[in-house]
C-alpha cells in the first residue's frame, strides 16, 4: 500500500506539471527517503538479492546503493557529498516519473497512472526501458565488481511473460557484452584511481571519461527498446531521439553530472509527455525554459541529421583535451540554458576548436 505521504507528493507533482519538471524533494531526488538505505533492505530469496526494477522505489534504491558504495572512491570529484557523476541518474529517473514517462503508454493497464499503481514502471514504456540500461546494468556490474559486498549475487525480478530484459550479470554480459564490459571498466577504474599518482584533476577527467563511455554503451544497447516508441506521438518520439542525441555532446565533454549541474539541465526538460501538435517553442502549457530546451535539442538533432552525423563527429573531435572539454561544457550550458546564446556562435566555435586539436 502506498504511504499517504508518497501519494500526496505525487498528486502535488501532477498539479505542478504545467510549470516545471519535478525531480527534487527537500534537496534530494524525489522519494529518496523511501528508498533502501542498505543492500539488505532489498528483497532476498535463497541468499540472492532480488530487486524489482518495475517498482519505482526499487529502481531508485539501486541508485542510492550505487552512490553510497562508490562515494569512497569519488574523492577526485570534489568535497561535496553530491559531487559524484552518478547523481544525475536518480534525478533523471525522478523526472521520468513525475512527467508521466514511466507509465504504460499503451493504455492497456493503469501501471504508473494516478488512477492505478503510481509506483509501477511499465515494461512497455520506452523511457522506462532505456532507463533500465542505465540503472540495472551498472548495478549488476558494480555488484559483480564487489561494490555491494563480497560474493553478493543479484537477480532482477521481471513480470511474467516479459522476456526482452536481462536480469543477471551473466545474462546481461551475454546479451549486451559491450555495455557490461564498459561498466566493469568504470568500476575497476574507480578502485585503481585511489592508488594512482596522477593529479586529482587528471584522475577526475579520466574517471568521467570511463563513466560516459559506459553510459553511452548502455544508451546504444537500449536500441532494443525502439519498438516501444510506436506507443507515443511523433512529437514525443522526435524529442526522445533529440534527447538521446544530446547525450553525445554531454558525454564527449566529460560533463560532471553531479547533483548541482544535473539539476540545472533537468529543470527545463518537458514536464509532460508531448502530444501531436506540440511544436516548440510555441507549446502553450509548457514554460519558456521548457520550450527553449525542446527547440534547442531539436535544432541540434536536425542539424546533425542533415549533415549526416557531421556535427556530432566535429564535436567529438573538438573535445580532444582537458581544456577543450572544459570549454565544451561551458558552451553546452550556454546553448541549453541561455536563450540569447546564438546557435551560429556554437557552430563557429566548434569549427575553430577542431583546428587546435
Amino acid at each position: 500500500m502506498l504511504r499517504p505521504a508518497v501519494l500526496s507528493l505525487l498528486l502535488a507533482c501532477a498539479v505542478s506539471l504545467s510549470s516545471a519538471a519535478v525531480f527534487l524533494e527537500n534537496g534530494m531526488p524525489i522519494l529518496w527517503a523511501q528508498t533502501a538505505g542498505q543492500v539488505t533492505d532489498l528483497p532476498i530469496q535463497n541468499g540472492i538479492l532480488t530487486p524489482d526494477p518495475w517498482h519505482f522505489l526499487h529502481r531508485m534504491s539501486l541508485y542510492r546503493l550505487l552512490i553510497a558504495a562508490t562515494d569512497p572512491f569519488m574523492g577526485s570529484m570534489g568535497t561535496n557529498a553530491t559531487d559524484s557523476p552518478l547523481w544525475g541518474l536518480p534525478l533523471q529517473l525522478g523526472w521520468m516519473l513525475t512527467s508521466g514517462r514511466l507509465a504504460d503508454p499503451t493504455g492497456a493497464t493503469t501501471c504508473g497512472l494516478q488512477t492505478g499503481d503510481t509506483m509501477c514502471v511499465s515494461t512497455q514504456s520506452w523511457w522506462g526501458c532505456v532507463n533500465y540500461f542505465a540503472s540495472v546494468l551498472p548495478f549488476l556490474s558494480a555488484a559483480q565488481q564487489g561494490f555491494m559486498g563480497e560474493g553478493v549475487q543479484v537477480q532482477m525480478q521481471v513480470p511474467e511473460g516479459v522476456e526482452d530484459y536481462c536480469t543477471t550479470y551473466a545474462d546481461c554480459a551475454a546479451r549486451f557484452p559491450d555495455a557490461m564490459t564498459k561498466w566493469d571498466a568504470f568500476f575497476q577504474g574507480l578502485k585503481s584511481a585511489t592508488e594512482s599518482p596522477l593529479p586529482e584533476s587528471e584522475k577526475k577527467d579520466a574517471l568521467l571519461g570511463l563513466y560516459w563511455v559506459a553510459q553511452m554503451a548502455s544508451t546504444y544497447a537500449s536500441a532494443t527498446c525502439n519498438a516501444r516508441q510506436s506507443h507515443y506521438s511523433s512529437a514525443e518520439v522526435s524529442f526522445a531521439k533529440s534527447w538521446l542525441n544530446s547525450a553525445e555532446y554531454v558525454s564527449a565533454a566529460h560533463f560532471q553530472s553531479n547533483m548541482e549541474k544535473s539539476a540545472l539541465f533537468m529543470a527545463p526538460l518537458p514536464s509532460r509527455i508531448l502530444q501531436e501538435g506540440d511544436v516548440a517553442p510555441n507549446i502553450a502549457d509548457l514554460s519558456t525554459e521548457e520550450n527553449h530546451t525542446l527547440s534547442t535539442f531539436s535544432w541540434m538533432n536536425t542539424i546533425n541529421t542533415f549533415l549526416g552525423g557531421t556535427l556530432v563527429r566535429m564535436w567529438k573531435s573538438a573535445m580532444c583535451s582537458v581544456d577543450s572539454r572544459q570549454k565544451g561544457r561551458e558552451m553546452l550550458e550556454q546553448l541549453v540554458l541561455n536563450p540569447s546564446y546564438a546557435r551560429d556562435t556554437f557552430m563557429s566555435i566548434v569549427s575553430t576548436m577542431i583546428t587546435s586539436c
Side-chain angles (χ1 to χ4, degrees):
M1 187 71 181
L2 200 59
R3 296 184 191 177
V6 178
L7 185 57
S8 62
L9 173 66
L10 288 172
L11 290 173
C13 291
V15 170
S16 63
L17 286 187
S18 61
S19 55
V22 179
F23 50 85
L24 288 174
E25 174 192 9
N26 298 324
M28 297 299 283
I30 207 160
L31 301 178
W32 196 250
Q34 311 285 343
T35 56
Q38 49 192 6
V39 172
T40 51
D41 290 338
L42 293 174
I44 299 176
Q45 292 181 2
N46 302 320
I48 298 174
L49 285 182
T50 57
D52 177 8
W54 306 106
H55 188 288
F56 176 81
L57 293 179
H58 280 229
R59 196 179 288 203
M60 189 65 99
S61 294
L62 301 183
Y63 287 141
R64 183 173 175 181
L65 296 169
L66 198 52
I67 289 170
T70 55
D71 260 354
F73 303 87
M74 293 283 186
S76 62
M77 295 298 154
T79 57
N80 294 323
T82 55
D83 277 336
S84 166
L86 292 171
W87 281 103
L89 296 171
L91 295 192
Q92 188 166 270
L93 181 61
W95 162 72
M96 290 179 184
L97 174 79
T98 61
S99 65
R101 289 180 165 86
L102 298 180
D104 186 352
T106 68
T109 71
T110 57
C111 174
L113 300 179
Q114 296 299 321
T115 53
D117 181 355
T118 53
M119 292 290 97
C120 177
V121 178
S122 173
T123 57
Q124 293 305 307
S125 162
W126 177 83
W127 294 93
C129 182
V130 170
N131 179 263
Y132 191 91
F133 287 82
S135 55
V136 168
L137 269 62
F139 187 85
L140 290 172
S141 172
Q144 180 73 13
Q145 299 302 323
F147 279 88
M148 299 302 148
E150 195 63 41
V152 169
Q153 292 182 284
V154 187
Q155 166 98 44
M156 297 291 165
Q157 295 180 39
V158 63
E160 193 174 345
V162 178
E163 299 178 348
D164 55 349
Y165 290 98
C166 61
T167 58
T168 64
Y169 177 85
D171 186 13
C172 292
R175 292 204 218 182
F176 309 102
D178 185 58
M180 294 306 284
T181 299
K182 299 290 172 48
W183 280 114
D184 288 348
F186 168 64
F187 291 116
Q188 290 162 6
L190 275 181
K191 290 180 179 178
S192 59
T194 58
E195 299 164 8
S196 168
L198 287 174
E200 292 300 307
S201 60
E202 290 184 33
K203 279 191 208 177
K204 176 180 176 178
D205 185 71
L207 286 174
L208 287 171
L210 287 172
Y211 172 71
W212 281 109
V213 164
Q215 273 286 23
M216 293 311 295
S218 270
T219 299
Y220 300 144
S222 71
T224 62
C225 304
N226 285 355
R228 290 167 171 80
Q229 289 187 352
S230 65
H231 305 315
Y232 299 90
S233 69
S234 59
E236 181 72 3
V237 171
S238 178
F239 164 60
K241 290 177 179 177
S242 65
W243 179 77
L244 289 177
N245 178 66
S246 71
E248 298 282 3
Y249 300 88
V250 169
S251 62
H254 293 187
F255 176 64
Q256 186 179 354
S257 47
N258 59 20
M259 176 87 81
E260 181 186 6
K261 289 289 186 184
S262 295
L264 281 176
F265 281 86
M266 295 299 301
L269 290 181
S271 50
R272 64 163 174 79
I273 293 177
L274 302 183
Q275 305 300 328
E276 296 297 351
D278 282 338
V279 180
N282 301 308
I283 305 175
D285 65 334
L286 295 188
S287 68
T288 302
E289 291 78 15
E290 288 168 273
N291 272 287
H292 170 69
T293 300
L294 283 170
S295 59
T296 298
F297 277 18
S298 176
W299 171 79
M300 292 171 77
N301 193 43
T302 300
I303 291 293
N304 186 58
T305 302
F306 179 74
L307 295 175
T310 298
L311 183 57
V312 165
R313 286 195 294 272
M314 285 173 59
W315 177 260
K316 289 182 176 179
S317 296
M319 299 296 104
C320 60
S321 68
V322 173
D323 287 343
S324 65
R325 288 190 283 273
Q326 172 62 34
K327 188 171 184 178
R329 291 191 291 273
E330 293 168 359
M331 287 171 62
L332 286 177
E333 281 193 40
Q334 288 293 315
L335 185 66
V336 176
L337 304 175
N338 180 4
S340 63
Y341 185 72
R343 291 170 179 173
D344 54 355
T345 301
F346 178 81
M347 295 286 287
S348 63
I349 293 177
V350 172
S351 301
T352 304
M353 287 173 73
I354 291 176
T355 62
S356 63
C357 286

